[in-house]
Amino acid sequence: QVQLVESGGGLVRAGDSLTLTCAASGVTFNKYNMVWFRQSPGKEREFAAASKWIGSNVYSTYYADSVKGRFSISRHNAENMVYLEMNGLKPEDTAVYYCAAAGRWGTDYQSASMYEYWGQGTQVTVSS
């Protein structure tokens, strides 16, 4: 049974940093594409960052324009963990952040429908 569990959310001030963690189980973690999405009230779930498996232990990363240069996705395969380091947080980054996983990759990688497995989410609130 696949399980993704996010942690690390909280209330921070604009300009602060925060690192989210996603612990995965039940998947061959090192061969899965891992992503972070976020969802604000009244909005659709939005792609934030992805770690794409290329082969062996090589991965490439992708970011939404809104977070590029401020957020960084990384993974620790031995621990089945994926992280989202968020710097220079802004009030508009306030959202529930979700970790997701997919065994395939495609041009629709920014679409939530591509991902098979999801965590329960962790709230990030950035005050101005």
Side-chain angles (χ1 to χ4, degrees):
Q1 182 178 356
V2 178
Q3 190 172 20
L4 302 176
V5 179
E6 302 95 334
S7 61
L11 171 63
V12 297
R13 295 181 178 179
D16 284 353
S17 298
L18 202 60
T19 297
L20 305 182
T21 298
C22 174
S25 60
V27 293
T28 308
F29 182 77
N30 64 312
K31 295 183 179 180
Y32 264 69
N33 304 300
M34 302 298 299
V35 298
W36 288 94
F37 275 75
R38 63 187 186 180
Q39 189 167 21
S40 304
K43 294 187 177 181
E44 292 188 358
R45 200 162 291 192
E46 173 191 41
F47 168 79
S51 172
K52 172 191 173 185
W53 181 59
I54 296 177
S56 296
N57 279 322
V58 180
Y59 302 88
S60 58
T61 57
Y62 299 79
Y63 297 94
D65 288 343
S66 58
V67 307
K68 198 173 295 182
R70 300 187 299 121
F71 289 13
S72 176
I73 187 171
S74 60
R75 56 198 299 163
H76 191 311
N77 288 339
E79 298 289 334
N80 282 11
M81 296 279 200
V82 62
Y83 306 98
L84 185 68
E85 179 181 348
M86 306 184 292
N87 300 306
L89 282 162
K90 305 175 181 179
E92 51 263 44
D93 294 319
T94 295
V96 177
Y97 283 72
Y98 296 91
C99 172
R104 71 167 186 89
W105 184 264
T107 56
D108 57 343
Y109 70 92
Q110 296 190 54
S111 172
S113 61
M114 190 183 106
Y115 298 92
E116 306 157 53
Y117 307 110
W118 290 86
Q120 81 291 348
T122 185
Q123 176 71 47
V124 172
T125 303
V126 185
S127 64
S128 57

